[in-house]
């Protein structure tokens, strides 16, 4: 799928649309993504700052999507875990940027080369307009090469 079409679809996806989350860019090579969220009445919490769930949601799918695009259909790729550390209250517009490197992909491919699972933590900061850190997020991505023979399928079912 073209990156521009995915970006449009994500901007219309109800969890993003109704939280005010906008995918600003997904590069054509799926190595970079940028997302932003403006503070609105419908995404602020009781004390008038960004709702923490929306801050986490704006970072949720991107590492998995970028990795999935590069590892291709011969791998299973999922988000496995996530963590968020709220550093300071988010006021105004916040954004996050995701950059997938050759080293990230080489590490995942090497871990999954023998059919085993690959796990990698990816960090991303949610930043305020002035560049200060609002939240630090870590997402753990799971990848495994898909089984191609009946014996491989049986062994991956037993170890998944």
């Amino acid at each position: 799928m073209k990156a521009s079409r995915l970006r449009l679809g994500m901007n219309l996806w109800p969890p993003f649309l109704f939280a005010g989350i906008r995918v600003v860019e997904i590069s054509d090579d799926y190595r970079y993504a940028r997302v932003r969220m403006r503070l609105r009445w419908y995404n602020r919490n009781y004390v008038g700052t960004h709702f923490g769930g929306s801050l986490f949601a704006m970072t949720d799918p991107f590492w998995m999507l970028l990795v999935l695009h590069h590892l291709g259909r011969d791998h299973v790729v999922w988000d496995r875990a996530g963590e968020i550390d709220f550093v300071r209250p988010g006021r105004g517009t916040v954004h996050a940027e995701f950059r997938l490197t050759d080293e990230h992909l080489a590490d995942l491919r090497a871990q999954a080369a023998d059919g085993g699972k690959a796990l990698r933590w990816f960090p991303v900061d949610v930043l305020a307009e002035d560049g200060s850190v609002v939240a630090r997020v870590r997402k753990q991505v799971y990848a495994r090469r898909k089984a191609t023979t009946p014996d491989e399928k049986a062994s991956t079912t037993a170890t998944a």
Side-chain angles (χ1 to χ4, degrees):
M1 171 182 293
K2 288 182 67 174
S4 59
R5 183 172 293 251
L6 177 62
R7 183 183 63 78
L8 176 63
M10 291 183 78
N11 283 329
L12 296 173
W13 186 43
F16 277 14
L17 182 65
F18 296 119
I21 298 166
R22 297 290 300 164
V23 180
V24 177
E25 181 182 356
I26 300 175
S27 65
D28 290 337
D29 66 356
Y30 281 86
R31 293 292 184 122
Y32 173 81
R34 179 180 168 89
V35 61
R36 78 160 187 259
M37 181 172 54
R38 291 187 172 110
L39 185 61
R40 303 285 191 213
W41 65 268
Y42 51 82
N43 64 11
R44 71 178 62 185
N45 60 24
Y46 185 74
V47 296
T49 62
H50 277 288
F51 174 62
S54 296
L55 290 169
F56 189 75
M58 72 183 283
T59 66
D60 188 31
F62 293 98
W63 288 118
M64 187 272 303
L65 289 172
L66 297 177
V67 169
L68 177 64
H69 182 80
H70 282 277
L71 292 185
R73 296 185 185 272
D74 59 334
H75 284 77
V76 174
V77 179
W78 291 100
D79 281 326
R80 185 166 184 275
E83 301 173 349
I84 187 165
D85 180 28
F86 300 105
V87 177
R88 68 175 30 102
R91 297 180 177 92
T93 301
V94 296
H95 72 274
E97 295 181 343
F98 307 82
R99 286 185 174 83
L100 187 64
T101 66
D102 289 335
E103 293 78 26
H104 295 144
L105 293 168
D107 180 46
L108 287 166
R109 283 190 178 106
Q111 286 184 55
D114 65 355
K117 67 181 174 184
L119 296 172
R120 182 176 177 93
W121 285 98
F122 290 92
V124 64
D125 289 339
V126 177
L127 303 173
E129 292 170 291
D130 66 0
S132 62
V133 176
V134 172
R136 294 190 194 300
V137 179
R138 288 186 349 137
K139 296 291 306 243
Q140 188 181 48
V141 173
Y142 165 98
R144 181 188 295 269
R145 193 172 48 82
K146 287 182 181 175
T148 56
T149 67
D151 290 337
E152 286 178 332
K153 288 178 183 175
S155 70
T156 56
T157 303
T159 60

